[in-house]
Amino acid sequence: MGIGSLVWGGIVFYILSTTPPPAVEKVTIDSSVEFAINILSIGWLIASSLVKVGFILKQRWTKITIISCICFMFLIINASLMQASIHQKTPSLEKASAYPYGLMASWFISWFWIDTFSLLTSITDWIKKKMFPV
């Protein structure tokens, strides 16, 4: 699962980095919001990649998984708030192609569910140890 998800992430990251953005009107974003989204994106990308490396090494890094899930949640919250403010300023953005955004969403969601699965497995193992000590 780890190797497959890292390969999938690499392919999507390459496609997104080489796909030119759609031509839209000039949109201004508050620099603090842009900074927060960039920091959360980088934090999530690193933490989630480490979770996948942990799968490859047959390790469960629960603390890194928690950090990954928290970064992802705040990233989605900030991105949706930013998108809502942009949509209020320029409602004509609906005409843009949804292709790269759908690809990015599938990558984000697949990695988030892998992280969530890892976290739930760790929590289940911890509960088993507490309820049934050896």
Side-chain angles (χ1 to χ4, degrees), residues 21-96:
V24 294
E25 301 171 16
K26 178 68 178 162
V27 177
T28 57
I29 300 171
D30 187 22
S31 60
S32 62
V33 172
E34 187 177 3
F35 177 76
I37 288 177
N38 285 336
I39 291 297
L40 288 168
S41 297
I42 292 168
W44 172 74
L45 185 62
I46 291 169
S48 192
S49 296
L50 287 174
V51 171
K52 302 332 173 254
V53 169
F55 273 126
I56 294 168
L57 300 175
K58 298 188 186 327
Q59 301 279 330
R60 260 193 243 142
W61 297 328
T62 306
K63 292 177 184 175
I64 294 174
T65 305
I66 292 170
I67 291 170
S68 172
C69 289
I70 289 171
C71 284
F72 184 78
M73 293 291 190
F74 282 107
L75 173 65
I76 294 299
I77 290 169
N78 279 306
S80 59
L81 291 174
M82 181 187 71
Q83 184 69 27
S85 70
I86 289 173
H87 187 66
Q88 286 176 350
K89 293 176 187 174
T90 56
S92 65
L93 289 178
E94 294 174 5
K95 298 173 187 170

Side-chain angles (χ1 to χ4, degrees), residues 7-19 45 103 107:
V7 168
W8 166 245
I11 291 169
V12 173
F13 192 78
Y14 174 77
I15 290 171
L16 291 174
S17 65
T18 57
T19 302
L45 185 62
L103 189 62
W107 169 37

Side-chain angles (χ1 to χ4, degrees), residues 94-111:
E94 294 174 5
K95 298 173 187 170
S97 169
Y99 161 69
Y101 303 112
L103 189 62
M104 184 173 66
S106 68
W107 169 37
F108 277 21
I109 296 301
S110 67
W111 273 32

